[in-house]
Amino acid sequence: MMAALRAQHILKLSAERQREFVNSFDVVFCDCDGVMWLIAAPLPHTGDAVNTLKANGKQVIFVTNNSIRTDDEYVKLFSGIGVKNFQKNDIIHPAKSMIYYLKKHNIKQPVFSLCGTASNTTLRSGGIDVRTLDVTQPITTATLPEITEPKEKVGAVLFDINMDLNYTQMVAGTRYLADKDCQFLAGGTDWLLPMTPNLTVPGFCDFLETIQRFTKRPATILSKPSLLLGEIVKDIYQLKDPKRCLFVGDSLTHDIRFGLGCGFQTLLVLSGSTPIEEMLAAPVEDQPHYYADGISDFLKLYENIGKNA
């Protein structure tokens, strides 16, 4: 049975409601994968849409669960799709929220990282003393215990998206977590990764669940939809009124749930992981306030407003 519909398409609002909508927010928080691009493919006119929002006085900040790029790579990527004046501080992802959390809570270092290379680069650039386990030889049951034995006391084990993650590294992480003083911080909770228009692959949440289940150590989640990330974002960007913020994302379970939990207005775009049928079937309380085919719909929206001024 189809749920009652709360979400309204931004291009189907009346001219008056379109104007009221764009005047109702000052800050746009925006997901990246599935909104600005697919992980391995572009989406049309997304940079133009961001520039239009900025030209109309909106602050645009990107909140992604994807730490597989360094700041320099993100600058290059945003510049490549035409976003003007993109700064490194315009984006937050799990590696950055980990830096914030580790420093705020004075967690002892070093830390043991199960994160990818780009995440580790970001962590080290942020002043975090990172240890990793590089597996360069075949592992057997005879060699696994010695290779995965903790070499020193660490303050935390960090988990995030890591395309090179392997079983031996996960075992090492569980052994560090046997120390009850060692904290467990995680991003990488997405179920799906939209790679191209025709390819979606599994996310990393099952690997995280395996570690949590084995160690009986629930991770502190520092990615969407965790409300702890919401508190971090509000602090970093000094947000005064959540209701004056619009969160734009492609996932009901991560982006929209996060935005609703933070008290933001929410807009679901259909260019990524959520088809319209899933949105329509969701309970009203889980639906976004608005939806659009893509973030590029803001171009038409502001064109409509200009015509009706």
Side-chain angles (χ1 to χ4, degrees), residues 11 30 36 41 45 146 167 207 238 244 248 268 287 296:
L11 296 183
C30 186
M36 296 304 297
H45 307 300
E146 180 181 357
Y167 176 77
F207 297 122
Q238 293 297 292
R244 298 287 304 173
V248 181
L268 179 76
Q287 290 184 21
S296 59

Side-chain angles (χ1 to χ4, degrees), residues 43-282:
L43 289 170
H45 307 300
T46 56
D48 294 334
V50 171
N51 294 336
T52 296
L53 285 163
K54 289 182 176 181
N56 283 275
K58 311 304 181 185
Q59 181 183 12
V60 182
I61 299 163
F62 298 93
V63 184
T64 175
N65 280 359
N66 192 337
S67 303
I68 65 172
R69 301 179 181 92
T70 63
D71 278 346
D72 288 338
E73 289 170 334
Y74 269 118
V75 169
K76 182 177 180 180
L77 185 54
F78 276 103
S79 298
I81 62 171
V83 174
K84 298 177 181 177
N85 302 316
F86 177 82
Q87 304 296 315
K88 294 178 180 179
N89 195 45
D90 291 341
I91 186 168
I92 186 165
H93 48 65
K96 288 186 173 182
S97 56
M98 287 174 184
I99 293 170
Y100 175 98
Y101 190 90
L102 288 165
K103 291 183 175 181
K104 181 172 183 178
H105 295 277
N106 296 312
I107 295 175
K108 293 181 179 179
Q109 300 184 39
V111 299
F112 179 72
S113 176
L114 295 173
C115 306
T117 301
S119 293
N120 292 332
T121 297
T122 300
L123 289 162
R124 290 180 174 121
S125 296
I128 306 302
D129 186 7
V130 175
R131 300 288 189 270
T132 60
L133 176 60
D134 297 322
V135 181
T136 59
Q137 59 191 34
I139 306 298
T140 67
T141 54
T143 60
L144 183 69
E146 180 181 357
I147 290 172
T148 60
E149 183 178 3
K151 304 299 187 289
E152 59 189 320
K153 189 176 180 68
V154 300
V157 170
L158 312 182
F159 177 92
D160 198 13
I161 293 175
N162 180 358
M163 301 297 177
D164 298 312
L165 183 66
N166 60 56
Y167 176 77
T168 302
Q169 293 167 338
M170 291 175 62
V171 170
T174 65
R175 297 187 70 180
Y176 279 111
L177 287 168
D179 177 1
K180 298 305 179 185
D181 293 328
C182 177
Q183 298 200 36
F184 188 18
L185 310 181
T189 59
D190 294 74
W191 291 95
L192 303 172
L193 299 178
M195 303 294 288
T196 71
N198 300 313
L199 176 64
T200 296
V201 299
F204 284 76
C205 56
D206 289 324
F207 297 122
L208 175 60
E209 175 58 30
T210 295
I211 296 173
Q212 291 183 120
R213 186 172 62 249
F214 179 80
T215 61
K216 298 181 174 61
R217 298 286 305 277
T220 298
I221 304 299
L222 297 171
S223 61
K224 298 174 294 184
S226 169
L227 297 186
L228 177 56
L229 174 62
E231 295 306 311
I232 293 172
V233 166
K234 291 174 183 177
D235 185 30
I236 290 176
Y237 296 103
Q238 293 297 292
L239 298 182
K240 304 301 181 186
D241 186 359
K243 296 188 296 296
R244 298 287 304 173
C245 301
L246 176 70
F247 198 95
V248 181
D250 71 309
S251 169
L252 278 179
T253 57
H254 285 69
D255 297 320
I256 302 308
R257 182 180 297 171
F258 175 73
L260 293 173
C262 292
F264 303 150
Q265 298 184 65
T266 55
L267 186 151
L268 179 76
V269 293
L270 304 176
S271 51
S273 62
T274 303
I276 191 169
E277 293 81 10
E278 182 179 337
M279 183 192 76
L280 295 174

